[in-house]
Amino acid sequence: MPRELTQEIEDIRSVESVIDSATTFVNGEADRLAAARQDAIDKGASEEQLAAFDVEIAALKEHGAALASAIAANTPGAPTEV
């Protein structure tokens, strides 16, 4: 298993609900992208060269919120608010 996923897997195992597990995973992926972006900046990449990272990070966070809402809406007995 890739080392960078180990912490995410542990974080997911530690949460109580399906919604929390899904959002933990999605947020972890967004954090990994943000860290990779910063690493590239530190190694000399320009903001312009990495603009696609910003788009992907924002989209991932947006999809994570939509996923949490969908899980809540489609889980019997789930709260109506996320």
Side-chain angles (χ1 to χ4, degrees), residues 4-5 8 24-42 50-63:
E4 61 272 0
L5 290 179
E8 282 183 314
T24 297
F25 173 74
V26 172
N27 289 336
E29 289 299 299
D31 291 345
R32 284 182 58 219
L33 278 176
R37 180 189 184 286
Q38 186 58 51
D39 185 50
I41 294 264
D42 293 346
L50 298 172
F53 271 91
D54 296 328
V55 172
E56 289 303 316
I57 292 167
L60 195 53
K61 288 181 179 182
E62 182 180 320
H63 291 139

Side-chain angles (χ1 to χ4, degrees), residues 63-81:
H63 291 139
L67 175 62
S69 294
I71 292 170
N74 291 293
T75 302
T80 56
E81 220 173 4

